[in-house]
């Protein structure tokens, strides 16, 4: 029992991080129909930026977090401007390959900037861990879960309540109609990129204190975020969030109760199951198109 | 009628040039390193050819194709290494297994429009790779599988650089001929129709779902053959050779070379095999340059290099006139 | 067609029986409880203002959209569970409002693809090229050429379909559709984009196809063509069936007049 609660705690913590990654991917997909295979690399950038700003340069925590986020957003904007927008391709496969190229490029740059060794980052606060039903709850976990909920809530508020956000949703639903009604769909795509890669960086900031960070940490995290987004339904904000939490919990339970070696397989088994049973995702309103 | 004849004879000329080039290169090259690189190019061409049919014509992307490559390699390693089965029997099992698996993965995902096959194969590829790594009693685990026998056929032993070079490229040539035959047949016409307009193809009676499934199974079979050849060439395999990045690299070969083009697959496989060799000199910068080249080609030549160079050539000729 | 012929045709079992078809797109009722039947051998005009739901009706008959309600009986069979390619095999062929030829393939190849359900060479046939494969291919090419001859396109047989002028592309769609030996041919605005001479030729082609015993449904905005060639006309407006009858009856129908004059 105590064990299971412990697994649940750690599952929800990693799940919240997957959720943030998935929300970023899902946001971008719903407004540009692009699946960004470089997304995981922005997580890496966020985590490594924390290493530099907070650990090495010893900036105050809030400033370090802001700077890491800003770095993620900026890189995302540069990527959008110089790679995606310049591309003359009409074939979506080509755009996907460009994001793959970007992911390799960013990983290479990360290796050059931070070297091959993994780093660790201390917890955001140095409080003792809290004991609940005999299981230890780390304060960092609380930070992460609260942060993830806050972020998703903020994006929800932005999309539903602000004019810009509503315009963005309109673009996602029907680009041509949005264009006809005067919404600058191109600027919306830029914004979606910045928010999406910003989410990636935030996930990196969250994860840095609970794992070792290195230049090659991004790929697997990006893929898992992708699984989470698919599980919840690609293009749905809370679907992606729930998919992330579900994935984190199942992974942690699976690793603890079955075999830790197969931990990484759980995400992909879930992905296949979803594709077989409910291709639109667990929480999607729409069925996957057939024709 | 004359158009069709000339297309057919042009294909014949292309094939002959290709055959002559392969024989010449094989006879002239003595350097084992070069022979080895060219053998790898051949193996990668097999992978790219199958994927090219899938991506270029059926319009589907497989992001886990390394799994079939791996299934081919591990099946022959286990059957001929551990169980001392004849490698040629192992080849049949490997291809059969890969095709069956492709059927199971493709059946539900290919029914949906969009990139569901891509997502399904992505997940499948990761699972297969984890299996290679974790099922160590059978696969040798992360440290790899040792003890793959050398290929023999009667008095021939495929071991030296040259004999293996010719073996691999003979298979490549056969695969090219098969692809050409398919593209010229009723099945190939239906495939090209899907390429031009999937909805119209469906509406005139092409069972697009089934056809895509068949092409996916064909691509899986070629992947398994490539894995078989790889395993008996390097005689040691480990899970990294069949990971996600390898799948991505295969897709890249197809796109860089040019989709829906047989020679594009050859060019893409050649470039992506050579590029890392060339970049070895850059050590630290290898990944950066590789990523950058990939992005630049795709940004400025989205049709791939074959078409990109042809366009540049035509443009410069026009200018001169 | 004389009145007697018409009566005889009506006494036969209909080749197409549409019963209460309904289709919603979001809030829009693109089809609202449409019912009608078509006797074998006739040309049935389907007219109606833009957005009336004509193309949607074709898409449901050909199995591309599943209806939200109602059913289609083709040649005595309920088509509800049949896939698009099975319907083509059963004998329903169509052309598209916006030309949907396979642009990079030659006209001959386009027609050969149209023959897909009537030929059977698959992967192994392609690889082995057994004699039966070559025989099948040869027969298919001959049939395709005769169809191109019939539609007057034989001179362009080896040109890429995408390079032809619109008029010829429209005709080519009919040739491709005929390649599947249809019992019922659905023509979606075949005259759109054609000049007067081409439209005249198209009328003759449709009559020739009718003489081959093919039943047709014809969506057409060109009233003189639609009225001149149809044995029976159905009028749709905003997803509902407004009227049905002989061309003469329709021309005198008040509800139809109102709809067309912007009522
Ligand atoms: N796939 C779809 N999704 C949403 N709405 C659709 C779809 N297809 C058709 N509609 C809507 O259904 C209605 C009927 O369209 P349809 O194309 O059948 O009309 P039509 O009679 O063929 O018109 P036209 O003469 O312009 O070709 C229109 O309001 C159209 O916007
Ligand atoms: Mg229409």
């Amino acid at each position: 029992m105590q064990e299971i609660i412990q697994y649940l705690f750690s599952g929800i913590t990693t799940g919240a991080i997957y959720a943030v990654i998935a929300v970023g991917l899902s946001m971008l997909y719903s407004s540009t129909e692009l699946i960004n295979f470089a997304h995981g690399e922005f997580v890496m950038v966020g985590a490594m930026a924390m290493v530099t700003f907070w650990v090495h340069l010893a900036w105050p925590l809030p400033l370090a977090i802001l700077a890491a986020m800003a770095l993620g957003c900026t890189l995302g904007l540069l990527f959008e401007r110089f790679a995606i927008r310049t591309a003359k391709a009409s074939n979506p496969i080509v755009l996907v390959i460009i994001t793959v190229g970007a992911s390799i490029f960013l990983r290479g740059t990360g290796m050059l900037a931070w070297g091959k060794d993994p780093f660790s980052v201390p917890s955001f606060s140095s409080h003792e861990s809290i004991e609940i039903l005999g299981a230890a709850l780390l304060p960092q976990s609380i930070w992460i879960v609260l942060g993830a909920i806050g972020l998703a809530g903020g994006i929800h508020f932005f999309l539903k309540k602000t004019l810009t956000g509503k315009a963005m949703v309109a673009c996602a639903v029907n680009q041509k109609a949005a264009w006809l009604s005067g919404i600058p769909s191109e600027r919306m795509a830029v914004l979606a990129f910045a928010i999406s890669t910003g989410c990636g960086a935030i996930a990196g900031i969250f994860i840095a204190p609970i794992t070792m960070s290195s230049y090659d940490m991004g790929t697997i995290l990006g893929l898992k975020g992708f699984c989470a987004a698919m599980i919840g339904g690609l293009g749905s904000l809370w679907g992606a969030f729930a998919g992330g939490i579900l994935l984190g919990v199942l992974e942690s339970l699976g690793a603890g109760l079955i075999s830790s070696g197969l931990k990484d397989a759980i995400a992909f088994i879930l992905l296949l199951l979803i594709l077989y049973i409910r291709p639109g995702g667990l929480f999607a309103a729409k069925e996957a198109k057939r024709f | 009628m004359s158009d069709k004849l000339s297309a057919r004879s042009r294909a014949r000329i292309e094939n002959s040039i290709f055959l002559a080039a392969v024989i010449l290169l094989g006879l002239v090259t003595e350097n084992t390193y070069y022979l080895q690189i060219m053998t790898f190019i051949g193996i990668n061409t097999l992978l790219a050819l199958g994927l090219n049919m899938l991506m270029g014509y059926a319009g589907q992307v497989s992001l886990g194709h390394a799994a079939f490559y791996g299934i081919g390699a591990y099946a022959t390693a286990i059957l001929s290494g551990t169980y001392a089965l004849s490698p040629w029997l192992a080849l049949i099992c490997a291809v059969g297994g890969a095709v069956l698996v492709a059927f199971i993965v493709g059946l539900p995902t290919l029914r949906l429009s969009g990139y569901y096959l891509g997502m399904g194969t992505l997940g499948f590829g990761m699972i297969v790779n984890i299996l290679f790594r974790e099922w160590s009693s059978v696969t040798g685990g992360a440290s790899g599988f040792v003890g793959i026998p050398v290929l023999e056929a009667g008095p021939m032993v495929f071991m030296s650089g040259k004999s293996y070079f010719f073996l691999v490229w003979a298979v490549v040539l056969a695969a090219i001929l098969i692809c050409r035959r398919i593209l010229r047949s009723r099945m190939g016409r239906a495939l090209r129709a899907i390429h031009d307009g999937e909805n119209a193809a469906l509406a005139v009676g092409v069972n697009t779902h089934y056809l895509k499934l068949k092409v996916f199974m064909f691509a899986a079979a070629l992947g398994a053959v490539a894995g078989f050849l790889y395993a008996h060439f390097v005689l040691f395999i480990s899970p990294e050779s069949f990971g996600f990045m390898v799948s991505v690299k295969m897709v890249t070969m197809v796109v860089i070379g040019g989709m829906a083009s047989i020679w594009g697959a050859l060019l893409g496989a050649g470039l992506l095999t050579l590029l890392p060799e060339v970049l070895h000199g850059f050590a630290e910068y290898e990944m950066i340059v590789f990523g950058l080249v990939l992005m630049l080609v795709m940004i400025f030549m989205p049709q791939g290099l074959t078409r990109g160079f042809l366009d540049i050539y035509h443009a410069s000729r026009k200018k001169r006139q | 067609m004389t009145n007697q012929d018409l009566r005889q045709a009506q006494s036969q079992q209909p080749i197409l029986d549409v019963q209460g078809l309904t289709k919603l797109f979001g809030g829009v009722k693109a089809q609202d409880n449409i019912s009608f039947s078509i006797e074998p051998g006739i040309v049935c005009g389907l007219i109606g203002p833009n957005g009336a739901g004509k193309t949607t009706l074709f898409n449901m008959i050909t199995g591309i959209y599943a209806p939200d309600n109602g059913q289609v009986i083709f040649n005595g069979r309920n088509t509800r569970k049949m896939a698009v390619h099975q319907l083509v095999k059963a004998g329903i062929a169509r052309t598209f409002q916006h030309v949907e030829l396979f642009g990079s393939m030659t006209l001959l190849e386009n027609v050969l693809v149209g023959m897909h359900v009537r030929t059977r060479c698959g992967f192994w046939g392609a690889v082995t090229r057994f004699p039966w494969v070559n025989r099948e291919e040869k027969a298919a090419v001959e049939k395709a050429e005769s169809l191109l001859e019939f539609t007057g396109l034989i001179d362009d047989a080896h040109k890429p379909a995408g390079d032809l002028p619109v008029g010829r592309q429209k005709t080519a769609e009919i040739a491709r559709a005929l390649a599947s030996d249809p019992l019922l041919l659905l023509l979606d605005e075949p005259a759109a984009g054609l000049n007067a001479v081409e439209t005249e030729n198209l009328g003759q082609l449709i009559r020739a196809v009718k003489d081959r015993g093919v039943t047709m449904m014809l969506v057409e905005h060109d009233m003189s063509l639609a009225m001149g060639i149809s044995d029976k006309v159905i009028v749709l407006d905003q997803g509902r069936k407004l009227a049905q009858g002989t061309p003469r009856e329709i021309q005198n129908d008040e509800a139809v007049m109102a709809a067309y004059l912007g009522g």
Side-chain angles (χ1 to χ4, degrees), chain A residues 223-254:
Chain A
L223 290 179
K224 291 218 181 130
F226 177 67
C227 289
M230 282 297 297
I231 292 167
L234 207 51
S236 130
L237 174 72
W238 291 107
F241 192 87
I245 302 280
L246 186 69
L247 176 59
V249 169
L250 287 178
E251 225 180 37
S252 159
L253 287 176

Side-chain angles (χ1 to χ4, degrees), chain C residues 13 24 34 41 81 85 88 97 103-104 127 135 145 149 151 171 174 177 188-189 195 245 259-260:
Chain C
Q13 184 203 27
L24 295 163
I34 304 276
K81 291 234 168 86
H85 63 97
V88 177
Q97 180 170 359
S104 73
V127 174
R135 275 200 301 277
E145 281 171 346
E149 193 85 60
T151 47
T171 319
I174 299 180
D188 200 347
E189 303 197 15
N195 62 33
Y260 267 89

Side-chain angles (χ1 to χ4, degrees), chain B residues 1 3-4 178 181-182 184-187 189-190 192-193 196-197 200-207 214 218, chain C residues 64 84-85 88 96 100 102-105 109 112-113 116-117 119-123 126-129 137 158 176:
Chain B
M1 240 22 228
D3 277 349
K4 205 171 133 198
I178 289 176
R181 282 194 168 192
I182 291 174
R184 259 211 313 271
S185 73
R186 165 178 177 269
M187 179 181 166
R189 275 194 302 265
R192 285 186 287 147
D196 278 7
L202 183 74
V204 301
V206 177
N207 186 349
K214 279 211 278 193
F218 175 67
Chain C
I64 284 172
V84 180
H85 63 97
V88 177
F96 293 90
E100 296 264 8
F102 308 119
S104 73
M105 300 167 74
E109 285 174 323
L112 286 170
V113 176
H116 195 82
V117 294
T119 42
R120 58 193 195 90
C121 163
F123 174 79
V127 174
T128 56
R129 286 232 203 112
E137 180 76 10
H158 296 288
R176 183 179 67 184

